[in-house]
Amino acid sequence: MSDGLEDVVAAHTVLSEVDGAAGRLVMRGHSLDELAGHTSFEEMAALMLDGFVPDLPAMKDLPAALGAARQELFATVVQEAVIPVTLGPVEMIRAMTALVPDGEDVGTVLRLLAAPAVFTAASLRLRQGLAPVAPDPSLSQAADTLRMLTGKAPTKQQAAALDTYLVTVADHGLNASTFASRVVASTRAGLVSAVLAGIGALKGPLHGGAPGPVIEMLDAIGAPGNARTWLETALDRGDRLMGFGHRIYRVRDPRADALKGAIRRLGADSGRLALAEAVEQAALAILRERKPNRTLETNVEFYTALLLEALGFSPDSFTCVFALGRTTGWLAHAKEQIAGGRLIRPQSVYVGPQPRQAA
Ligand code: ACO
């Protein structure tokens, strides 16, 4: 067994398949190409939860049900709870999510799908000293997230770009946060606890916490001509380049191109995209020179950073938006684990000292 468990199969799932050698992601029988850019957050949630939450509202009623859940969370958590704004945005949404009553029923599922949208927008505004904006249940979850963030209705293109992002990151095999969610769900602790475990794991820079540092890297590099020197210096210091490398993919992460396409469709700042492309090319070349035996390619976080920046999210909130997309996957995996019924409880090999024998 390796330390990172990559040679261990810990679940059979109908939810997603990651083919790291071919650079292919399939979610519930559909390739990422079929889904990203063609599916809304609500449609993706219905697809992923199909068969696991029998009383989930039908697709025609799901947007309104999610809108009602957003309103309920705004009234019961955002307007009632006192959460210190000195916490980071991910810590704030983790604290707010912990106030949602635990359970495994459809109401809990709807509240958890809605929670990161309401809590992310509220956290970001509270940290800026602004009053949170109440949800508009008539909007789609993507459009309402952007509206609650800025106070203005987004354009169709902006809402579509956020939908593309949320669908792209909805699920990805047994990644660290999904595994954490499944372990907690297997104890029958409830779906809120399972999602909290996912948020906790996602927060780390080796998992969902990478895109914020990608923006810091682009800002520090400043112009394409500075890329090579800056990247070489970072690697000489022993730093990892954020947005590159992946445990499973040995080729380019297919999600990177899905998101790059969304950035182009959004018509975001072309200078920023040109800088990012120059940094990407320089980083890939240097990583090939320095790690010839290891394939290190662009991962999802690199273009996540650019897309979420273009949509007006601050870099310290990118992980919260990731949680908004990935909650769909965490919930589906938690439900699948509960349906399978067994407690996850692996073995360990003790390598510490033994008690001294009595003389
Ligand atoms: N920059 C520089 N070197 C790297 C990078 C990188 N981004 N990624 C891996 N390496 C090097 C490691 O230092 C190691 O070198 P060594 O063998 O000389 O010690 C070698 O490549 C193998 O690395 P591992 O740690 O075995 O790779 P692992 O599969 O454990 O890690 C990970 C994958 C955590 C994503 C890693 O590539 C990384 O830290 N990337 C940067 C952070 C990042 O972008 N995270 C987001 C991942 S996507 C997601 O979780 C949604």
Side-chain angles (χ1 to χ4, degrees):
M1 183 205 76
S2 65
D3 278 350
L5 299 187
E6 55 258 62
D7 51 359
V8 174
V9 174
H12 288 104
T13 182
V14 298
L15 297 168
S16 63
E17 180 183 47
V18 184
D19 182 339
R24 202 172 75 111
L25 169 60
V26 171
M27 290 184 265
R28 299 225 72 173
H30 301 273
S31 72
L32 179 62
D33 287 350
E34 288 170 61
L35 296 168
H38 310 285
T39 312
S40 66
F41 172 86
E42 286 81 356
E43 288 165 339
M44 193 65 191
L47 177 70
M48 294 301 291
L49 294 168
D50 184 31
F52 294 111
V53 186
D55 39 4
L56 192 74
M59 193 47 230
K60 68 176 179 28
D61 302 320
L62 188 56
L66 282 174
R70 291 195 299 277
Q71 282 186 309
E72 181 194 330
L73 292 169
F74 189 81
T76 56
V77 179
V78 173
Q79 293 193 306
E80 293 296 324
V82 180
I83 308 286
V85 293
T86 46
L87 293 176
V90 192
E91 293 163 331
M92 285 183 80
I93 71 157
R94 193 182 56 188
M96 291 186 191
T97 306
L99 298 172
V100 179
D102 223 330
E104 293 181 357
D105 61 321
V106 66
T108 309
V109 169
L110 289 169
R111 279 190 283 279
L112 285 167
L113 287 170
V118 178
F119 297 163
T120 299
S123 300
L124 294 179
R125 290 183 70 88
L126 287 169
R127 280 166 55 82
Q128 294 171 62
L130 300 170
V133 173
D136 177 346
S138 71
L139 293 181
S140 72
Q141 176 125 325
D144 204 19
T145 303
L146 293 168
R147 192 191 132 275
M148 287 187 285
L149 180 72
T150 62
K152 289 187 311 214
T155 64
K156 270 193 176 154
Q157 290 79 1
Q158 288 168 327
L162 184 56
D163 264 327
T164 301
Y165 172 72
L166 298 175
V167 166
T168 298
V169 301
D171 197 34
H172 203 241
L174 215 52
N175 58 88
S177 57
T178 300
F179 183 51
S181 289
R182 283 190 83 123
V183 170
V184 172
S186 84
T187 72
R188 307 302 295 262
L191 297 173
V192 175
S193 300
V195 165
L196 282 168
I199 296 173
L202 191 71
K203 177 172 166 283
L206 299 192
H207 188 14
V214 169
I215 293 295
E216 287 164 24
M217 174 173 76
L218 293 179
D219 287 343
I221 291 173
N226 305 333
R228 180 164 266 274
T229 311
W230 193 96
L231 295 166
E232 297 268 18
T233 309
L235 288 171
D236 289 345
R237 261 197 319 265
D239 292 356
R240 289 188 178 196
L241 303 181
M242 291 294 138
F244 298 92
H246 198 273
R247 173 60 61 83
I248 305 286
Y249 289 119
R250 291 295 161 250
V251 294
R252 194 176 164 82
D253 184 334
R255 299 171 298 175
D257 286 328
L259 298 183
K260 199 168 164 182
I263 296 167
R264 287 197 201 287
R265 286 195 293 279
L266 188 59
D269 178 355
S270 55
R272 192 70 163 157
L273 184 55
L275 170 65
E277 285 175 332
V279 170
E280 182 187 16
Q281 290 318 314
L284 292 174
I286 296 166
L287 288 169
R288 264 176 223 130
E289 288 158 25
R290 295 211 178 194
K291 304 269 177 204
N293 300 324
R294 171 98 193 168
T295 316
L296 295 172
E297 289 284 340
T298 315
N299 67 42
V300 63
E301 303 289 44
F302 192 76
Y303 285 105
T304 288
L306 252 69
L307 181 60
L308 297 187
E309 180 186 57
L311 287 173
F313 291 99
S314 56
D316 61 359
S317 71
F318 291 169
T319 311
C320 301
V321 193
F322 193 165
L324 172 52
R326 186 55 60 85
T327 298
T328 302
W330 292 334
L331 287 170
H333 276 272
K335 279 290 192 183
E336 186 180 53
Q337 183 65 41
I338 292 165
R342 286 214 80 206
L343 173 73
I344 298 177
R345 203 302 184 191
Q347 301 278 350
S348 54
V349 176
Y350 178 67
V351 294
Q354 293 295 336
R356 275 192 291 164
Q357 299 290 331

